[in-house]
């Protein structure tokens, strides 16, 4: 018997060499089921990479004709997928050996699971940092209090039926598609617990190439959208204060200091321990800069 077939969706925009590496990491998986790779070209020329295809491996290219951006591109791939299991991989990341087999074992062992993720390794160009999730199960309450940075979208394996059903497709209304991964985690965790293979099976590139790097107003707009979309944040002062602190930091970093300071004070009223809110107030007062803060965070393999 062979394992069930899987479709891997790789959105891309003008990064052909990175995309080729991502596709190759999928094709190199030691997995005895069929793998279909769908590269979704988002506002760029649809040119597939020159890679060898072994038996049971197929590679297709499609053009994103939905909303421009990551959400529309992912949905294009989901809808084009031929198989019941759908995995995501960003074009600047890579799967590590054993990733797919380990996840499929878990999703088959838990028929109610709509999503299985893994831990990751962050590559900042100078060193690698292992980021574990710290749990084999992630619940909705856990996600309200913590984005759980070790659970990256390039590790996600879904049941396609969930994406077309109870969980739903990626939200294309999110400003600039930012936070679409967090939104789908929150929605999936309402349907049922998220399972995790807590081993670093994905290498995530974190060297400033991200489309969102430094787009602070886009970041804040998306967080405000998520805060309004998910009223469950208001069940906990710590949960809502955390999101408000991120909005505060983003607004002051976009030089909207008064707006950011207002969000920081609101955050601290809900949760006085939010470090990002204090940092936002320091930036608003011109005592430190966003660059200084992000540089320190990057040394420890973390983002803001």
């Amino acid at each position: 018997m062979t394992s069930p077939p899987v479709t891997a969706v790789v959105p891309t925009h003008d990064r052909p060499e990175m995309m080729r590496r991502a596709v190759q990491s999928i094709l190199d998986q030691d997995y005895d089921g069929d793998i279909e790779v769908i590269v979704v070209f988002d506002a760029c020329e649809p040119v597939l990479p020159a890679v060898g295809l072994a038996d049971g491996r197929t590679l297709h290219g499609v053009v994103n004709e939905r909303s421009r951006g990551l959400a529309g591109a992912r949905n294009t791939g989901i809808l084009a997928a031929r198989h019941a299991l759908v995995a995501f991989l960003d074009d600047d990341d890579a799967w590590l050996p054993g990733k797919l087999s380990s996840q499929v074992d878990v999703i088959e062992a838990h028929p109610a699971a709509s999503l299985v993720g893994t831990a990751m390794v962050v590559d900042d160009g100078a060193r690698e940092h292992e980021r574990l999730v710290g749990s084999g199960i992630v619940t909705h309450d856990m996600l309200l209090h913590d984005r759980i940075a070790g659970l990256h979208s390039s590790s996600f394996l879904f049941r396609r039926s969930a994406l077309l059903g109870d969980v739903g497709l990626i939200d294309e209304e999110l400003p600039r598609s930012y936070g679409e991964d967090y939104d789908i985690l929150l929605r999936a965790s309402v349907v049922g617990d998220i399972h995790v293979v807590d081993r670093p099976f994905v290498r995530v590139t974190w060297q400033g190439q991200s489309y969102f790097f430094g787009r602070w107003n886009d970041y804040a707009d998306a967080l405000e959208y998520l805060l309004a979309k998910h009223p469950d944040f208001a069940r906990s002062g710590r949960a809502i204060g955390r999101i408000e602190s991120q909005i505060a930091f983003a607004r002051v970093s976009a030089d909207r200091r008064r707006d950011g300071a207002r969000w920081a004070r609101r955050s601290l009223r809900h949760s006085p321990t939010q470090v990002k809110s204090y940092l936002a107030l320091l930036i608003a007062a011109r005592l430190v800069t966003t660059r200084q803060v992000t540089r320190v965070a990057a040394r420890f393999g973390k983002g803001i």
Side-chain angles (χ1 to χ4, degrees):
M1 294 180 63
T2 59
S3 299
V6 176
T7 296
V9 175
V10 183
T12 192
H13 174 74
D14 281 338
R15 296 197 283 203
E17 181 53 32
M18 285 186 168
M19 180 264 287
R20 184 203 62 77
R21 184 190 67 175
V23 168
Q24 191 66 61
S25 76
I26 298 170
L27 298 174
D28 286 345
Q29 289 288 301
D30 183 13
Y31 182 69
D32 63 358
D34 290 350
I35 300 177
E36 172 190 48
V37 182
I38 298 179
V39 179
V40 184
F41 295 91
D42 184 35
C44 62
E45 192 69 22
V47 179
L48 286 170
V51 292
L53 295 173
D55 290 344
R57 304 292 185 261
T58 58
L59 174 63
H60 309 289
V62 296
V63 173
N64 176 22
E65 295 182 346
R66 297 176 67 90
S67 61
R68 182 175 177 180
L70 194 53
R74 289 207 204 281
N75 286 339
T76 296
I78 292 165
L79 295 171
R82 294 185 301 157
H83 301 315
L85 297 178
V86 175
F88 292 170
L89 179 59
D90 292 347
D91 65 355
D92 55 345
D93 300 333
W95 288 357
L96 300 178
K99 186 260 188 194
L100 199 53
S101 296
S102 298
Q103 281 184 292
V104 171
D105 286 347
V106 172
I107 206 166
E108 287 203 293
H110 298 88
S114 60
L115 168 59
V116 176
T118 78
M120 67 176 179
V121 172
V122 176
D123 179 0
D124 69 5
R127 63 188 68 84
E128 292 186 348
H129 309 269
E130 192 173 279
R131 301 290 295 274
L132 300 180
V133 175
S135 175
I137 296 287
V138 171
T139 68
H140 188 61
D141 280 347
M142 290 169 66
L143 284 164
L144 290 174
H145 288 90
D146 187 350
R147 166 57 184 84
I148 308 181
L151 191 56
H152 193 275
S153 58
S154 285
S155 80
F156 293 176
L157 175 71
F158 288 94
R159 296 190 195 277
R160 185 169 181 265
S161 59
L163 293 168
L164 300 179
D166 291 344
V167 174
L169 291 171
I170 308 303
D171 187 350
E172 296 183 36
E173 298 300 317
L174 264 163
R176 302 284 186 175
S177 292
Y178 185 85
E180 47 81 32
D181 51 349
Y182 189 27
D183 176 62
I184 200 73
L185 283 170
L186 287 165
R187 288 190 281 132
S189 65
V190 170
V191 174
D193 291 344
I194 293 168
H195 289 257
V196 177
V197 181
D198 203 16
R199 294 171 58 191
F201 277 125
V202 175
R203 177 175 287 109
V204 173
T205 302
W206 202 347
Q207 299 172 28
Q209 294 99 329
S210 169
Y211 172 78
F212 300 108
F213 189 80
R215 294 174 178 259
W216 296 109
N217 268 326
D218 292 343
Y219 176 45
D221 288 345
L223 287 170
E224 289 191 34
Y225 176 95
L226 287 174
L227 192 57
K229 180 177 179 178
H230 296 280
D232 283 356
F233 281 116
R235 296 191 331 215
S236 162
R238 184 162 64 90
I240 195 170
R242 179 179 67 86
I243 299 296
E244 291 167 341
S245 74
Q246 293 175 318
I247 296 169
F249 190 95
R251 291 301 187 204
V252 297
S253 297
D255 209 26
R256 291 175 55 176
R257 297 172 185 272
R258 182 176 298 177
D259 192 19
R262 178 177 60 83
W263 277 102
R265 290 190 293 270
R266 179 174 168 181
S267 165
L268 292 171
R269 284 196 297 270
H270 284 126
S271 178
T273 61
Q274 295 300 324
V275 173
K276 288 189 182 71
S277 291
Y278 292 109
L279 291 171
L281 292 172
L282 290 174
I283 293 169
R286 303 181 188 277
L287 297 175
V288 297
T289 67
T290 299
R291 177 178 288 273
Q292 288 171 330
V293 174
T294 55
R295 278 181 174 175
V296 171
R299 290 175 191 168
F300 296 94
K302 297 181 181 295
I304 294 296

